[in-house]
Amino acid sequence: MPKIGMEPVRRKALVDAALRVIGDQGTLSVTMSDIARTAGVSPALAHHYFGSKEQLLIATIRSLLAQLRDDAVAALQAAATPREKLSALIRVSFRAEQFAPETIAAWLAFYSEAQRSEDVRRLLVIYARRLRSNLLASLKSLCAVDDAERIAEGAAAMIDGLYIRQSLRSAPISIEASIALTEDYVTTHLDQLYEGRAS
Amino acid sequence: MPKIGMEPVRRKALVDAALRVIGDQGTLSVTMSDIARTAGVSPALAHHYFGSKEQLLIATIRSLLAQLRDDAVAALQAAATPREKLSALIRVSFRAEQFAPETIAAWLAFYSEAQRSEDVRRLLVIYARRLRSNLLASLKSLCAVDDAERIAEGAAAMIDGLYIRQSLRSAPISIEASIALTEDYVTTHLDQLYEGRAS
DNA sequence: TTTTATTGATTGATGAGTCAATCAAAAATA
DNA sequence: TATTTTTGATTGACTCATCAATCAATAAAA
């Protein structure tokens, strides 16, 4: 079997397998054996290519993040006006794929891991910053900078919060409802800036 | 040493120790030894009183929840009007103690565990429902029921989201800022219902 | 003496990481 | 073309550490 140039193929297979296994089990306490089996290779090979479980996990988060970034970039390009870009960002966050129970479970596991691993934390901070700054960029065209910052912070928090609530699967809020709630937040706060000027 | 009537004392000590250790390490993958040592007893005693690690963890979540409930009840009683009750609920959620990094780390760990343990999930659902219904009760006095439901959902999501973002400790939003953001959300949405009636 | 509290010692399971050995494609050589 | 050498890919078997859970034994109250 050994053909040459297997490395990239195996790396990708292992990363994909890791994401699937983590999502299914809802924890980072999955075994290298589980991941390797899902990828169709031996545990030893996983160690051969990634050196340690920690490194494989980090590569897995990176992959998730890259995917999210690509989606956001594409969505932003397809949108013309700042207001449309805002909506596009919100919609991307709640994509069916992103909002799938297994994906959410994986995110939660990573957040929890970030309490221990500085590397993981740094990666998640990148995600948080990116969401915030993407929102901010569009908002700045629509209102004053300090208002924009406040609204971006609020919208980002609401998006993350809807994720968490989704993870409990109790009275699950639909994707559309989540989008509507976030859109409503942004719209209402933008409108408010140009209507009432009382205290 | 063996004095009689130790059981409740030890149970409490173990639960408190569990919460502290979990908060410090940011994971439920703490050892019974760690917890027992922190509580000043042997690991065997922890098993004696709780039967298993799982049971000790469940008792720990229950304790966190009970504390939160008591705080909420007290805060609600001290508030007179529905609008004041709303503010009180928001403030309780962001109490310094609740918002401490270790407490947040513990919450995250429990959310992650809820993906696996039905018992844990059920307890967290109780928390989510309670927050939502507390908010709802006050909101119903201030606006139409369907608006109240929407606003309660949004406020609850924002509170949870601010927690998550706090857990990353990047550009940490202060307690006051978190309260202000949530208050602003509620206020703006309530006001909006009585001002603009355009599309 | 009986009961309750408590622990040290032990067990059994699990899982990360290592390593020497194997296998087959590719490259070099005849 | 046929043969040998080299090298990347791959794994089974093993080590070492960790940890939950058990249990028999001890000590102090009642």
Side-chain angles (χ1 to χ4, degrees):
Chain A
M1 289 177 195
K3 289 206 187 108
I4 213 152
M6 279 287 99
E7 177 157 353
V9 176
R10 293 276 114 106
R11 287 189 101 98
K12 179 168 188 328
L14 283 163
V15 163
D16 290 349
L19 192 55
R20 195 148 82 248
V21 174
I22 290 167
D24 280 348
Q25 300 193 208
T27 175
L28 296 199
S29 293
V30 296
T31 69
M32 288 295 260
S33 299
D34 282 344
I35 297 173
R37 192 177 328 113
T38 303
V41 299
S42 74
L45 195 66
H47 274 98
H48 174 65
Y49 283 128
F50 286 95
S52 73
K53 184 180 168 185
E54 166 102 6
Q55 287 306 310
L56 172 52
L57 294 183
I58 287 175
T60 304
I61 306 180
R62 264 195 230 285
S63 152
L64 244 191
L65 245 54
Q67 157 119 38
L68 208 53
R69 185 196 52 215
D70 293 347
D71 285 356
V73 167
L76 283 174
Q77 278 180 337
T81 69
R83 190 61 189 77
E84 279 171 17
K85 283 182 196 290
L86 273 181
S87 292
L89 282 171
I90 293 172
R91 228 173 302 116
V92 161
S93 294
F94 294 112
R95 262 206 144 75
E97 193 183 335
Q98 293 294 337
F99 220 46
E102 312 85 42
T103 310
I104 293 182
W107 276 106
L108 260 179
F110 289 132
Y111 267 89
S112 184
E113 178 68 17
Q115 308 303 310
R116 260 150 294 134
S117 161
E118 183 56 30
D119 288 326
V120 171
R121 198 181 76 81
R122 198 174 315 119
L123 287 171
L124 292 185
V125 166
I126 289 174
Y127 151 76
R129 278 214 235 285
R130 201 155 60 200
L131 175 55
R132 188 177 175 286
S133 87
N134 277 341
L135 291 169
L136 200 51
S138 298
L139 282 166
K140 274 181 185 165
S141 311
L142 300 168
C143 63
V145 174
D146 55 339
D147 288 324
E149 280 174 354
R150 211 165 28 85
I151 298 178
E153 206 73 69
M158 183 168 284
I159 289 172
D160 286 357
L162 287 167
Y163 262 78
I164 278 233
R165 303 216 127 213
Q166 191 72 8
S167 82
L168 291 183
R169 303 187 308 275
S170 78
I173 311 169
S174 72
I175 292 184
E176 300 82 47
S178 295
I179 293 177
L181 219 47
T182 313
E183 280 282 351
D184 184 38
Y185 171 76
V186 172
T187 302
T188 303
H189 280 248
L190 282 175
D191 285 354
Q192 172 233 15
L193 294 173
Y194 297 96
E195 287 181 359
R197 302 193 189 254
S199 76
Chain B
M1 293 174 197
K3 292 207 184 101
I4 210 150
M6 278 288 98
E7 177 155 353
V9 176
R10 294 274 114 108
R11 288 188 99 99
K12 179 168 188 327
L14 283 163
V15 163
D16 289 349
L19 191 55
R20 194 148 84 247
V21 174
I22 290 167
D24 281 348
Q25 301 194 207
T27 175
L28 296 198
S29 294
V30 295
T31 69
M32 288 296 261
S33 299
D34 282 343
I35 297 173
R37 191 176 331 113
T38 302
V41 299
S42 73
L45 196 67
H47 275 98
H48 174 65
Y49 283 127
F50 287 94
S52 72
K53 184 181 168 183
E54 167 101 8
Q55 287 307 308
L56 172 52
L57 293 182
I58 287 175
T60 304
I61 305 179
R62 264 195 230 284
S63 152
L64 242 191
L65 246 54
Q67 156 119 38
L68 208 53
R69 184 196 54 216
D70 293 348
D71 285 356
V73 167
L76 283 174
Q77 278 178 336
T81 69
R83 191 59 188 79
E84 280 171 16
K85 283 182 196 292
L86 273 182
S87 292
L89 282 171
I90 293 172
R91 227 172 302 116
V92 160
S93 294
F94 294 112
R95 263 206 144 76
E97 193 182 338
Q98 292 294 334
F99 220 46
E102 312 83 45
T103 312
I104 293 182
W107 275 106
L108 260 178
F110 288 132
Y111 267 90
S112 184
E113 178 68 17
Q115 308 302 311
R116 261 151 293 134
S117 161
E118 183 57 30
D119 287 327
V120 172
R121 198 181 77 80
R122 199 175 314 118
L123 287 171
L124 291 185
V125 166
I126 290 174
Y127 152 76
R129 278 213 234 285
R130 201 157 59 201
L131 175 56
R132 188 177 175 288
S133 88
N134 277 341
L135 291 168
L136 201 51
S138 297
L139 282 165
K140 273 182 183 163
S141 311
L142 300 167
C143 63
V145 174
D146 55 341
D147 288 324
E149 281 175 353
R150 211 165 27 86
I151 297 177
E153 207 73 68
M158 183 167 284
I159 289 172
D160 286 358
L162 287 167
Y163 262 79
I164 276 235
R165 303 217 127 213
Q166 189 73 7
S167 81
L168 291 183
R169 303 188 307 276
S170 78
I173 311 170
S174 71
I175 293 185
E176 301 83 47
S178 295
I179 294 177
L181 220 47
T182 313
E183 281 281 350
D184 184 38
Y185 171 77
V186 172
T187 302
T188 302
H189 280 250
L190 281 175
D191 285 355
Q192 173 232 16
L193 295 173
Y194 297 97
E195 286 181 1
R197 308 207 182 245
S199 76

